[in-house]
Amino acid sequence: MKLIAAPVSPYSRKARIVLAEKRIEYEMVVDSPLDAASRVPEFNPLGKIPVLVLDDDTTLFDSRVIVEYLDNANPVGRLIPEDTRQRIQVRRWEALADGCTDAAIAVVMEKRRPAAQQSAEWIARQEGKIERALKAMSDDLGSRAWCAGDLYNLADVAVGCALGYLELRMPDLNWRRQYPNLGKLFDKLSQRASFKDTAPPKG
């Protein structure tokens, strides 16, 4: 099994964390779709990472599809509850966290364009999504230990990856000051081996 991924990609990190939590061995193939010589489109017609290449060369893409496959591939430490109501709550958290990440990536990519070509309106729209997502996550988390239910699960993985990307790419946002409960959750997640081992490189 191979995972085509990039160390700084938050979606690659989500898949890598689940692989670690599920204790599934794999080979990581580093490839960024932004590189001119990238081979990612050969495995995913959408040209996005991560891509999971199974032993029979079947390819799975989109992190949500990959993590669901992995959670069912190994019964150790289920991250997606089997109960329908609980499962939907976890997937809702994942959608919220992924949406926050999508908006953050959009801001980062827009700001890489020449200043004269950047759209302040576009950036403001994405930043609004980030702020609303953070507030929703903070409100829903409240004083609980974990995002959805009484145990660590995929909701926490997705939120941790989103917050980690904000820490890396948007340090001036200072979301910890406004949402200390998210900061407390993130610090706790950061102590897990799966998060430590997949932390993106600085700079």
Side-chain angles (χ1 to χ4, degrees), residues 26-60:
Y26 69 101
E27 175 189 351
M28 180 168 163
V29 178
V30 177
D31 193 346
S32 171
L34 299 179
D35 293 341
S38 173
R39 295 187 58 200
V40 172
E42 297 176 24
F43 300 93
N44 178 359
L46 300 175
K48 295 181 177 181
I49 52 174
V51 181
L52 187 68
V53 183
L54 305 183
D55 292 339
D56 63 359
D57 292 330
T58 298
T59 57
L60 301 178

Side-chain angles (χ1 to χ4, degrees), residues 104-162:
I105 291 173
V107 171
V108 169
M109 298 304 293
E110 183 69 12
K111 289 186 175 181
R112 288 180 179 174
R113 288 157 50 90
Q117 297 179 19
Q118 293 179 22
S119 169
E121 180 181 358
W122 172 258
I123 291 173
R125 186 180 304 166
Q126 303 309 316
E127 289 176 341
K129 294 178 185 179
I130 295 168
E131 288 294 343
R132 291 192 299 273
L134 286 170
K135 185 178 187 307
M137 287 190 283
S138 177
D139 288 348
D140 287 356
L141 177 63
S143 60
R144 296 199 312 274
W146 305 109
C147 293
D150 298 326
L151 301 173
Y152 168 82
N153 57 44
L154 181 61
D156 306 292
V157 174
V159 170
C161 290

